Amino acid sequence: MTSSGTSFRFTKGKPRFLNNRHQIISRHALPWLFAAYVLALIPHYAQIPFWLMIFAIGNLVWAALIYLGKTDHPNIYLKSGYAILLSGLFIFDFYHKYNVDSAVAFLVLTISLKLIEVKYRKDCYLFVFIIIYLISTNFIFSQGVGITIYTLLVMLIALGAVLTLESGGLSTPIKEKLRSLTKIAVITLPLMLVLFVFFPRMTPLWSIPLTTGEATTGISNVLSPGDIANLSQSSDVAFRVTFVGAIPPPAKRYWRGLILDKFDGRTWSSSKKSSPVMPSRIDTGTLFSHNKPGTYQILLEPTQHKWGFSLAGAVSDSSNIRVGSTGLVRFKTSIIQPTRYQIRQQGGIPSGLALATKKYLQLPVNNSNPKTRKYIQKLLLEQLSPTAIIAYLMNNFRTQPFYYTLSPPKTGSNFVDDFLFKTRSGFCSHYAGSLAYMLRLAGIASRVVVGYQGGEVNESDQYLIVHQYDAHAWVEAWLPGKGWFRLDPTAMVAPSRIEKGLESAVAGEKSFLSGRFFAAARYNNIPLIHWLRLKVDALNFKWQKWVVGYDSENQSEFLSSWMGVVTPQKMALIMTLSGAFAMIIAAWLFRRFEPKTRLSPEIRYYQRFCRQFEKKGLSRAMGQSENDFLKQIHDKVKVPALIQAADSFTQTYLKIRYSANFSNADTAHQEKYLMMLRLLKKQYVITKYQLLTYNIK
Amino acid sequence: MKTYSKYNGPRVTHFQKQFQKWVSRRIPPGKTAILNQKNIFIMPTREGLGLGLLLLLLLLTAINYQNSLIYLLTFFLGGIFVTSILVCFRNLEGLTLAFTEGRNCFSGEKAHFLFKLSAQEGKRYHRLFLSNEPESYQWINIDNGSDQRVILFTQTRCRGIEKPGRILIETRYPMGFLRAWSWLDLEAVALVYPAPVKGVKQRMAKGESDDSHGKSFSPGDDYSGVRDYIAGDPPNRMAWKLFASKGELYIKNFEENLHSTAWVDYNAYPGINMEARLSYLCYELLEKERKGDSYGLKLPGKTIEFGRGDVHLTKCLSSLALFQSEDSFKQLDNSF
């Protein structure tokens, strides 16, 4: 190990601690740093701007050249000039954009600059710390099992760099370091689990910038024709549902999310901003032990929005949500983490209308869609009852040549006209949007509902997976005496969409996940892939439920289900006990990892030699010398052949054992040593066979 | 007489004194020291404190983003820190440090101390740092229970008994976040002889002779045959040519040799300060030994009879080293 650069605080007469912060680090640490750097950047490739990625790769090449000795460390002027240039670019790019993306980009900028500068111990540690913080941001963007294992491994590799600084000399092989790392990681696991379960979860200390504006997934609060068709190309999971009791049939799985009541001739949107929702404290919720009949639990993937989903007739059954007057689920904050909530099924769509009649009859002020208006006016002239009009219009979708397609032809500014009378092919948003418009023209209060429909049942684990491609839009209409009720024009056009899901509805045009070559759901027709996908999803579901979704609520529920009322004293006791338990496991694991002291082969032969004699009643006393034991054999044994065998064996043994040449497996004498061992083995076998036929009295 | 203080470092505060007392109570001196719970200390390093800051930052992020997996990462990293305490401690535990040999030297030179560092059976130790003085340190790795030799030194400044002081043995394995260490007080000693300085003998000028055996400084060359070798004869007097032809060792006899035996006398330099006198005597002794003369040493209160050879020389030099510090003699006798 190099000692150059080691500096000490000089005080005569007393040994001082090593102060080697400015020690130049060993070359051997650098490959670890490079590996950690590359692996830390990979999950962020989409988040950081292109120019930064180019510089990040460029800096790696630069650092590699320094490592290989092709160039020197940059001097202070070059270094600061370069840093100023990159910081300038960064400020230019991210000016006034404070979100997680810019924070990640900043961290990437910092480590890529630090990489070309890593020279001393202190740099190495700083680098490792920044890397670890950077990889922790992986979890803000995704929370799967895979990314978790990946991130923890990258952290271990980063720590491998500082382990390299502190372990062994140059000769320590990489295998040895990996072994040390594994050992430390395995010993740490029980401790980590204890902390994870018992460490008290707190509410956020201050508000934080949201991830990003554009990274929202799932449905949005505006619906233009063709909007949901984009979602149909995504096989991501929107949410998963577990029911107490039977899973309802597909035709009843309408997951309401948003009500759109404002139409401008082309786009449906929400008339009011979603008001801040106070969490209801009616029910403490029982998320942990979910067994109340008539309830279901939803684990929602992050949407970056405040809305949740439920079947019609929902009552809040957990404290993190509120069900509004329109029967929609709302959270108090945007969902940036997978979130669990519980719903009690009761009744149907809430039928409060009186105050809002005008809202649900609103029509665009401009004179768009003349054909449609004329069409409805003609219908109204026939003096049909509202029920009959609804029936007529719905029937119209079935009887007329309408097509259900994921790639509808373009429509002009009068979208409803074009769709109803010209193209006649579209997606659920086309059908729902135009039907609600026609109903309003006919004086029937109506609104578009956006959410999901259907879902895939995971048979083995009995839960429902709702994917993004299950996104759907339908219509709710209101009639006096009947209240709100659901109308789904898509069901008229493509009944298989409702009954069997999107995949079978678009089987004819083969457009299901056509753009997603790697989506496993695309290969549902291959049984093995289908089975495997559901298994992986079940694992992910459990992971989301028990690990990712383990929040303060779950924690207090889990703890109280375990030890009754949670008091600080009990908590302290439990933490101490489980900490001690983790330490005992750690101590046991230490022993497991301890290198076994293997006796050298000649000693093992000698022990076997002694055991053979012991079987015949002649045992070697503790600490008795080899020659002494041989003498004992001479005295007791009267067979010359056996004596001779024991003699030669002992002689060979002593020669190997106490000759300086063979100490510590001297490599120079390896050959001779092995030869002697073979001889010893032969002599042992001879002695053994001599003993077989002989009994010592 | 100029006094030399061994510990001329910065002023020691009351707290430091108390602390050193506590350390000596905790780790008493001994010939060998085995490292165990009693004498191993462990504290986080600067890097460890940095890790603490990182953990705090991660925890804040986890809390603010309500992110379970960042909690998980934080606990994993925190757990690794806790595990490191055990690993770091175990990287010292079971080591045995024993003093083997002190190498005497002349004042102003470095006194070397040899130690044996033995591992617990089958155990591996990484990157141990041993030091007793800022410039005297050694890095050691121990693979599978072997013994390692440690050589430390002190820069000597005055004659007498030299001790290496407390020996720091430190490790930062596995990741440098923690430092485990011990200060071992091993009863290690080496003698420091006075620095040899050529002096001018005043008695020559005065014609005074305490040299009862005649000529002392003229190198004799009256070759008068050979005699049989006696153990302890200087190698430069050996008759190598005879050895080559006969295969037996002979010593060349020089006529004047019989007469060139002389006392090396403390009183030969009156009026000169004691340390300087001892340096002159040291030079004389070395010079005589080099020439193969037989010599004796006269010090106030101590006389060493005539003789020659390494053992004799060492005896004489040791007497110089310990002159007028009789208590040191006792100390030395006890420790040998």
Short mmCIF file of all heavy atoms in Angstrom, two decimals, chain B residues 211 213-225 237 252-262 288 291-294 308:
data_model
loop_
_atom_site.label_atom_id
_atom_site.label_comp_id
_atom_site.label_asym_id
_atom_site.label_seq_id
_atom_site.Cartn_x
_atom_site.Cartn_y
_atom_site.Cartn_z
N ASP B 211 47.97 4.97 32.34
CA ASP B 211 47.97 3.84 31.42
C ASP B 211 49.05 2.88 31.85
O ASP B 211 50.18 2.93 31.40
CB ASP B 211 48.24 4.39 30.01
CG ASP B 211 47.85 3.37 28.97
OD1 ASP B 211 47.63 2.21 29.35
OD2 ASP B 211 47.78 3.76 27.79
N HIS B 213 49.70 -0.03 31.25
CA HIS B 213 50.17 -1.06 30.33
C HIS B 213 50.86 -0.49 29.12
O HIS B 213 50.93 -1.12 28.08
CB HIS B 213 49.00 -1.96 29.90
CG HIS B 213 48.47 -2.76 31.03
ND1 HIS B 213 48.94 -4.02 31.32
CD2 HIS B 213 47.56 -2.46 31.97
CE1 HIS B 213 48.32 -4.48 32.39
NE2 HIS B 213 47.46 -3.54 32.81
N GLY B 214 51.36 0.72 29.26
CA GLY B 214 52.22 1.23 28.20
C GLY B 214 51.47 1.86 27.05
O GLY B 214 50.38 2.38 27.22
N LYS B 215 52.15 1.73 25.89
CA LYS B 215 51.65 2.41 24.69
C LYS B 215 50.19 2.05 24.44
O LYS B 215 49.79 0.91 24.55
CB LYS B 215 52.46 2.00 23.45
CG LYS B 215 53.95 2.08 23.61
CD LYS B 215 54.62 1.52 22.36
CE LYS B 215 55.37 0.23 22.69
NZ LYS B 215 55.94 -0.37 21.47
N SER B 216 49.48 3.06 24.08
CA SER B 216 48.07 2.74 23.87
C SER B 216 47.60 3.04 22.46
O SER B 216 46.82 2.30 21.89
CB SER B 216 47.20 3.49 24.87
OG SER B 216 47.39 4.87 24.69
N PHE B 217 48.07 4.11 21.89
CA PHE B 217 47.46 4.50 20.62
C PHE B 217 48.28 4.19 19.39
O PHE B 217 47.82 4.40 18.29
CB PHE B 217 47.11 5.99 20.65
CG PHE B 217 45.79 6.22 21.28
CD1 PHE B 217 45.69 6.46 22.65
CD2 PHE B 217 44.63 6.11 20.51
CE1 PHE B 217 44.46 6.62 23.22
CE2 PHE B 217 43.40 6.29 21.09
CZ PHE B 217 43.31 6.55 22.45
N SER B 218 49.55 3.72 19.60
CA SER B 218 50.33 3.42 18.40
C SER B 218 49.94 2.04 17.88
O SER B 218 50.03 1.07 18.61
CB SER B 218 51.81 3.47 18.71
OG SER B 218 52.07 2.67 19.86
N PRO B 219 49.50 1.98 16.72
CA PRO B 219 49.12 0.67 16.19
C PRO B 219 50.35 -0.19 15.98
O PRO B 219 51.30 0.19 15.29
CB PRO B 219 48.44 1.03 14.86
CG PRO B 219 48.94 2.38 14.49
CD PRO B 219 49.37 3.07 15.76
N GLY B 220 50.33 -1.30 16.59
CA GLY B 220 51.50 -2.16 16.50
C GLY B 220 51.48 -3.03 15.27
O GLY B 220 50.44 -3.43 14.80
N ASP B 221 52.68 -3.34 14.76
CA ASP B 221 52.69 -4.26 13.62
C ASP B 221 53.85 -5.24 13.71
O ASP B 221 54.31 -5.77 12.73
CB ASP B 221 52.72 -3.49 12.31
CG ASP B 221 53.76 -2.39 12.32
OD1 ASP B 221 54.54 -2.35 13.29
OD2 ASP B 221 53.79 -1.61 11.36
N ASP B 222 54.32 -5.43 14.95
CA ASP B 222 55.38 -6.43 15.11
C ASP B 222 54.77 -7.80 15.14
O ASP B 222 54.39 -8.32 16.18
CB ASP B 222 56.15 -6.18 16.42
CG ASP B 222 56.82 -4.81 16.40
OD1 ASP B 222 56.97 -4.27 15.27
OD2 ASP B 222 57.11 -4.29 17.48
N TYR B 223 54.70 -8.36 13.99
CA TYR B 223 54.07 -9.67 13.85
C TYR B 223 54.93 -10.72 14.52
O TYR B 223 56.12 -10.82 14.26
CB TYR B 223 53.88 -9.97 12.35
CG TYR B 223 53.23 -11.29 12.08
CD1 TYR B 223 51.94 -11.55 12.58
CD2 TYR B 223 53.86 -12.26 11.32
CE1 TYR B 223 51.32 -12.75 12.31
CE2 TYR B 223 53.24 -13.45 11.06
CZ TYR B 223 51.97 -13.70 11.56
OH TYR B 223 51.36 -14.88 11.30
N SER B 224 54.38 -11.47 15.44
CA SER B 224 55.20 -12.44 16.16
C SER B 224 54.59 -13.83 16.13
O SER B 224 54.50 -14.50 17.12
CB SER B 224 55.36 -11.97 17.61
OG SER B 224 54.09 -11.92 18.23
N GLY B 225 54.10 -14.22 14.95
CA GLY B 225 53.58 -15.57 14.81
C GLY B 225 52.10 -15.68 15.13
O GLY B 225 51.41 -14.67 15.25
N ARG B 237 41.87 -10.12 13.27
CA ARG B 237 43.20 -10.67 13.62
C ARG B 237 43.36 -12.11 13.15
O ARG B 237 44.33 -12.76 13.46
CB ARG B 237 43.37 -10.64 15.15
CG ARG B 237 43.52 -9.23 15.69
CD ARG B 237 44.92 -8.75 15.39
NE ARG B 237 45.01 -7.31 15.51
CZ ARG B 237 45.75 -6.71 16.44
NH1 ARG B 237 46.43 -7.41 17.30
NH2 ARG B 237 45.82 -5.41 16.47
N LYS B 252 46.59 -14.01 14.56
CA LYS B 252 47.92 -13.42 14.39
C LYS B 252 48.29 -12.73 15.69
O LYS B 252 47.51 -11.97 16.25
CB LYS B 252 47.90 -12.41 13.25
CG LYS B 252 47.81 -13.03 11.89
CD LYS B 252 47.93 -11.95 10.83
CE LYS B 252 46.76 -12.05 9.88
NZ LYS B 252 46.69 -10.93 8.97
N ASN B 253 49.47 -13.01 16.16
CA ASN B 253 49.94 -12.41 17.40
C ASN B 253 50.83 -11.22 17.08
O ASN B 253 51.74 -11.31 16.28
CB ASN B 253 50.76 -13.43 18.19
CG ASN B 253 50.13 -13.69 19.53
OD1 ASN B 253 49.31 -12.89 19.99
ND2 ASN B 253 50.51 -14.79 20.15
N PHE B 254 50.50 -10.10 17.64
CA PHE B 254 51.36 -8.95 17.45
C PHE B 254 52.05 -8.67 18.76
O PHE B 254 51.40 -8.65 19.81
CB PHE B 254 50.54 -7.74 17.01
CG PHE B 254 49.99 -7.89 15.62
CD1 PHE B 254 48.76 -8.48 15.40
CD2 PHE B 254 50.76 -7.48 14.54
CE1 PHE B 254 48.29 -8.63 14.12
CE2 PHE B 254 50.28 -7.63 13.26
CZ PHE B 254 49.05 -8.21 13.03
N GLU B 255 53.33 -8.47 18.67
CA GLU B 255 54.14 -8.30 19.88
C GLU B 255 53.58 -7.20 20.77
O GLU B 255 53.32 -7.38 21.95
CB GLU B 255 55.59 -7.97 19.50
CG GLU B 255 56.58 -8.26 20.60
CD GLU B 255 56.55 -9.69 21.09
OE1 GLU B 255 56.60 -10.63 20.24
OE2 GLU B 255 56.44 -9.90 22.31
N GLU B 256 53.36 -6.05 20.12
CA GLU B 256 52.95 -4.89 20.91
C GLU B 256 51.55 -5.07 21.48
O GLU B 256 51.17 -4.38 22.40
CB GLU B 256 53.05 -3.59 20.12
CG GLU B 256 52.43 -3.62 18.73
CD GLU B 256 50.93 -3.49 18.74
OE1 GLU B 256 50.42 -2.65 19.50
OE2 GLU B 256 50.26 -4.24 17.99
N ASN B 257 50.80 -5.96 20.89
CA ASN B 257 49.43 -6.19 21.34
C ASN B 257 49.35 -6.46 22.83
O ASN B 257 48.45 -6.01 23.49
CB ASN B 257 48.85 -7.39 20.60
CG ASN B 257 47.71 -6.93 19.70
OD1 ASN B 257 47.52 -5.73 19.55
ND2 ASN B 257 47.01 -7.87 19.14
N LEU B 258 50.31 -7.20 23.27
CA LEU B 258 50.32 -7.57 24.67
C LEU B 258 50.46 -6.35 25.55
O LEU B 258 50.03 -6.34 26.68
CB LEU B 258 51.48 -8.53 24.93
CG LEU B 258 51.42 -9.83 24.14
CD1 LEU B 258 52.74 -10.59 24.24
CD2 LEU B 258 50.26 -10.67 24.65
N HIS B 259 51.05 -5.34 24.94
CA HIS B 259 51.30 -4.16 25.76
C HIS B 259 50.31 -3.05 25.50
O HIS B 259 50.30 -2.06 26.19
CB HIS B 259 52.72 -3.64 25.50
CG HIS B 259 53.73 -4.73 25.68
ND1 HIS B 259 54.01 -5.26 26.92
CD2 HIS B 259 54.51 -5.39 24.79
CE1 HIS B 259 54.92 -6.22 26.77
NE2 HIS B 259 55.23 -6.32 25.49
N SER B 260 49.50 -3.17 24.44
CA SER B 260 48.65 -2.03 24.08
C SER B 260 47.32 -2.06 24.82
O SER B 260 46.40 -1.36 24.47
CB SER B 260 48.38 -2.01 22.58
OG SER B 260 47.54 -3.09 22.25
N THR B 261 47.22 -2.93 25.79
CA THR B 261 46.02 -2.88 26.60
C THR B 261 46.05 -1.62 27.43
O THR B 261 47.09 -1.16 27.87
CB THR B 261 45.95 -4.09 27.54
OG1 THR B 261 47.20 -4.20 28.19
CG2 THR B 261 45.59 -5.34 26.78
N ALA B 262 44.84 -1.02 27.59
CA ALA B 262 44.82 0.27 28.26
C ALA B 262 43.48 0.49 28.92
O ALA B 262 42.48 -0.08 28.51
CB ALA B 262 45.07 1.38 27.24
N LYS B 288 39.36 1.37 20.16
CA LYS B 288 40.16 0.24 20.66
C LYS B 288 39.61 -1.07 20.14
O LYS B 288 40.36 -1.96 19.75
CB LYS B 288 40.19 0.24 22.19
CG LYS B 288 41.11 1.32 22.76
CD LYS B 288 41.25 1.14 24.25
CE LYS B 288 41.94 2.32 24.90
NZ LYS B 288 43.27 2.59 24.31
N LYS B 291 40.60 -1.67 16.63
CA LYS B 291 41.99 -2.09 16.43
C LYS B 291 42.27 -3.45 17.02
O LYS B 291 43.33 -4.02 16.81
CB LYS B 291 42.93 -1.07 17.08
CG LYS B 291 42.97 0.24 16.34
CD LYS B 291 43.88 1.18 17.08
CE LYS B 291 43.80 2.58 16.52
NZ LYS B 291 44.00 3.56 17.58
N GLY B 292 41.34 -3.94 17.79
CA GLY B 292 41.54 -5.24 18.40
C GLY B 292 42.31 -5.18 19.70
O GLY B 292 42.82 -6.20 20.17
N ASP B 293 42.43 -4.01 20.26
CA ASP B 293 43.13 -3.89 21.53
C ASP B 293 42.31 -4.50 22.65
O ASP B 293 41.10 -4.66 22.55
CB ASP B 293 43.35 -2.42 21.88
CG ASP B 293 44.35 -1.77 20.94
OD1 ASP B 293 44.97 -2.54 20.15
OD2 ASP B 293 44.47 -0.54 20.97
N SER B 294 43.01 -4.80 23.69
CA SER B 294 42.33 -5.21 24.91
C SER B 294 42.18 -3.97 25.77
O SER B 294 43.07 -3.14 25.83
CB SER B 294 43.18 -6.27 25.62
OG SER B 294 42.60 -6.60 26.84
N ARG B 308 38.04 -7.94 25.42
CA ARG B 308 37.69 -7.41 24.11
C ARG B 308 36.62 -8.27 23.45
O ARG B 308 36.21 -9.28 24.02
CB ARG B 308 38.92 -7.31 23.22
CG ARG B 308 39.55 -8.65 22.91
CD ARG B 308 40.78 -8.45 22.05
NE ARG B 308 41.57 -9.67 22.10
CZ ARG B 308 42.89 -9.70 22.00
NH1 ARG B 308 43.55 -8.59 21.87
NH2 ARG B 308 43.53 -10.84 22.05
#
